[in-house]
Amino acid sequence: MTNLHFGVFEVYAPQVGGTYSWAHPLCDAADYLDPERWVRMAKIMDRTGYDFLFFADGFGYPMQNGDISAACLSAAINFSGLDPSTIIPILARETEKLGFVVTATTGMDHPLPLSRRFSTLDHLTRGRIGWNVVTGASQNAVAELFGHPEMVAHDTRYEMAEEYVSLARSYWEQSWDDDALVADADSGVYIDPSRIHRTQFEGAHYRSRGYFGAPPSPQRTPVIFQAGTSPKGRALAAAHAEGVFVQATTPEHTAAAVADIRRRAADAGRDPDEIRIMAGLTAIVDETQEGAEQLWREFHGMQSDEVVAALYAGNTGIDLLKLDPDKTLAEVVAAGGVVGQMGTSNIERFLGRDGSPAPTVRQILDDLRGKGTRGFRIVGDAEHVADRVAELADQTGLDGFLFEPVFGTRDVEAFGELVLPRLRERGRLAAPAGPTLRERMRERPGARLERAGKDSAPGAAAMPA
């Protein structure tokens, strides 16, 4: 029986999940500019036993008709937002055990500044930091913002990401020996020059020659998470990721994705059971089943075709409202419709598979209403939600879930206070094996990756000597 891990999926922005709920009276997400709102949430999570607070992030936004979507502005769909890495030190000072995972996009800059930033965060949190590796979202908007003539092709982005992560890991794992920082006042030696090592990295996309200036942190390398579900994304996860977020569709499809990632990891010479695979979970919990269902009706009633289409356009570049509602997405693709290099998994899932017919555009809009980027949905009292969570984990082989609040801190507290204790009583939650995020997720002591040799860490084959 698998121990389960739980994070909370958030953004440093008005709301999560690509759905509209910030204006509901129970929701405090519109207060995201106030750091005290995040302190309250982090303290609740620390007290109730969540493993980590996860921040999604990106520079893009939904575009329709060649410009920012009007619906994304009025409903706050993936716009506006701040840099989540900046609030982590505040939250770390206010908590004791809670981990923090921050999304940072490869390809936006050179790996050097990112590597130093995560070393800094790992020091400041005393080893409670993770990096969620993504290759980007809303790539059409990102290309415009950064002045690129065109979007970088999907597969090229993953080739760049492979080099990016490998170079970052070489800084963290290969640059300093553990005893390089001497700080001996009597001898006047601060760093032993024989115990730091020059980086020599020559890749197709990134190059680096010189010395990495950040001393080793408690974990050295942050716990690496990865969220891509395309074949290229799964390959990157199999090589590098310690935690993987998969798209939650049906239990059967999710189970197949879990099995595929574990198989790829085994083929890469890794222990597949060491990878923690998680999916999104929207759970509306209340003291009674009736109360939870009423909250769901209120949330669902706030959604609209415009909200759905704005998010889908941001993820894929496809404006569903401009398509014939009676045609399928497969027909649009076959007719040469613009699919681009964005959100391939969110396109492929609606093309029809395993003998099932492809849904029409109208059916896609209806299916995504209230879903956005959210995963599995459970509505009910605490006992029902705990039962269903355990059942989903057993059906899929998942190691845990990213909880996606609808009504902000209210939902985080309800799940933490009502559901997590029931799962703990059933023996489904592991006690932390150490103070760092890596130990917590691995369920065994050892804050750092094994360093018996430079080839010991996943992805090490691409590292410089």
Side-chain angles (χ1 to χ4, degrees):
M1 189 167 58
T2 304
N3 288 323
L4 298 180
H5 294 270
F6 290 88
V8 169
F9 182 95
E10 267 292 353
V11 287
Y12 202 178
Q15 63 196 358
V16 303
T19 52
Y20 174 41
S21 59
W22 66 264
H24 192 280
L26 288 178
C27 189
D28 66 346
D31 298 333
Y32 80 96
L33 295 172
D34 181 1
E36 293 305 317
R37 184 255 181 175
W38 295 106
V39 169
R40 287 194 299 273
M41 182 183 290
K43 284 184 172 181
I44 289 168
M45 293 179 64
D46 201 40
R47 172 172 52 81
T48 57
Y50 288 92
D51 291 285
F52 58 87
L53 173 58
F54 172 95
F55 280 104
D57 193 30
F59 294 96
Y61 42 79
M63 292 181 67
Q64 291 171 296
N65 301 316
D67 204 350
I68 190 169
S69 163
C72 95
L73 294 175
S74 61
I77 304 299
N78 292 2
F79 193 88
S80 53
L82 300 177
D83 179 350
S85 67
T86 59
I87 200 170
I88 299 302
I90 296 174
L91 305 183
R93 285 294 298 268
E94 298 287 344
T95 54
E96 296 179 2
K97 302 181 290 288
L98 184 67
F100 303 93
V101 181
V102 183
T103 299
T105 306
T106 60
M108 294 290 99
D109 56 6
H110 191 276
L112 181 62
L114 174 138
S115 301
R116 186 173 68 166
R117 181 163 68 252
F118 274 94
S119 288
T120 304
L121 289 171
D122 202 48
H123 278 292
L124 292 174
T125 62
R126 293 186 174 89
R128 291 186 278 150
I129 199 71
W131 171 25
N132 179 45
V133 180
V134 298
T135 63
S138 301
Q139 289 296 316
N140 48 0
V142 170
E144 285 193 351
L145 278 168
F146 282 82
H148 301 158
E150 59 185 11
M151 289 186 291
V152 178
H154 175 271
D155 286 0
T156 302
R157 292 203 305 272
Y158 274 99
E159 291 169 7
M160 295 173 67
E162 169 63 37
E163 280 191 16
Y164 194 105
V165 177
S166 292
L167 178 50
R169 293 184 64 159
S170 75
Y171 292 136
W172 291 319
E173 295 294 329
Q174 305 296 320
S175 296
W176 293 63
D177 293 344
D178 282 337
D179 53 358
L181 183 56
V182 178
D184 185 344
D186 292 335
S187 66
V189 175
Y190 186 71
I191 295 171
D192 182 339
S194 69
R195 296 174 184 174
I196 62 168
H197 308 286
R198 184 180 177 87
T199 295
Q200 298 281 359
F201 190 98
E202 295 291 336
H205 302 282
Y206 300 102
R207 288 159 293 284
S208 184
R209 297 175 296 280
Y211 296 94
F212 180 58
S217 62
Q219 297 183 126
R220 278 192 177 260
T221 296
V223 181
I224 293 182
F225 293 80
Q226 204 272 333
T229 54
S230 69
K232 287 285 186 180
R234 293 182 191 180
L236 183 70
H240 291 286
E242 300 169 78
V244 181
F245 304 129
V246 297
Q247 193 172 49
T249 49
T250 65
E252 295 76 18
H253 186 254
T254 301
V258 170
D260 181 64
I261 290 168
R262 296 204 195 280
R263 177 188 59 78
R264 289 172 184 262
D267 289 345
R270 301 179 59 194
D271 180 353
D273 294 328
E274 283 276 284
I275 301 177
R276 298 289 172 252
I277 305 179
M278 308 174 77
L281 173 69
T282 296
I284 297 183
V285 191
D286 197 53
E287 295 286 352
T288 65
Q289 186 75 28
E290 294 76 14
E293 290 173 355
Q294 176 59 32
L295 289 174
W296 166 251
R297 286 191 292 270
E298 292 174 15
F299 165 70
H300 194 265
M302 298 177 75
Q303 313 312 309
S304 67
D305 283 354
E306 289 71 25
V307 167
V308 172
L311 180 72
Y312 196 77
N315 287 337
T316 65
I318 297 174
D319 187 348
L320 294 173
L321 295 183
K322 296 180 73 173
L323 304 179
D324 184 336
D326 296 322
K327 289 189 177 298
T328 69
L329 208 54
E331 291 174 293
V332 173
V333 173
V338 177
V339 174
Q341 295 292 329
M342 298 166 53
T344 57
S345 59
N346 278 309
I347 296 170
E348 291 167 355
R349 63 186 285 205
F350 294 118
L351 297 183
R353 59 180 172 226
D354 302 328
S356 300
T360 65
V361 170
R362 178 67 260 166
Q363 289 171 327
I364 294 172
L365 286 165
D366 292 341
D367 178 71
L368 292 178
R369 186 184 180 97
K371 285 186 178 178
T373 56
R374 296 176 179 276
F376 294 113
R377 182 177 72 240
I378 308 174
V379 178
D381 62 20
E383 199 66 28
H384 171 74
V385 172
D387 288 344
R388 184 61 180 140
V389 165
E391 182 182 11
L392 279 171
D394 294 338
Q395 288 176 325
T396 59
L398 288 167
D399 299 298
F401 298 89
L402 264 185
F403 180 75
E404 304 152 328
V406 169
F407 302 124
T409 305
R410 179 266 169 206
D411 284 0
V412 173
E413 184 168 25
F415 191 85
E417 294 280 9
L418 300 175
V419 178
L420 290 185
R422 284 170 169 77
L423 293 172
R424 190 173 291 111
E425 289 167 2
R426 300 178 189 188
R428 299 306 298 263
L429 300 186
T436 68
L437 180 58
R438 178 164 287 115
E439 290 168 302
R440 184 169 190 136
M441 297 304 292
R442 280 185 170 184
E443 302 173 12
R444 59 180 173 83
R448 293 177 172 177
L449 297 171
E450 286 74 14
R451 302 181 72 239
K454 70 182 178 65
D455 296 329
S456 62
M463 292 181 183

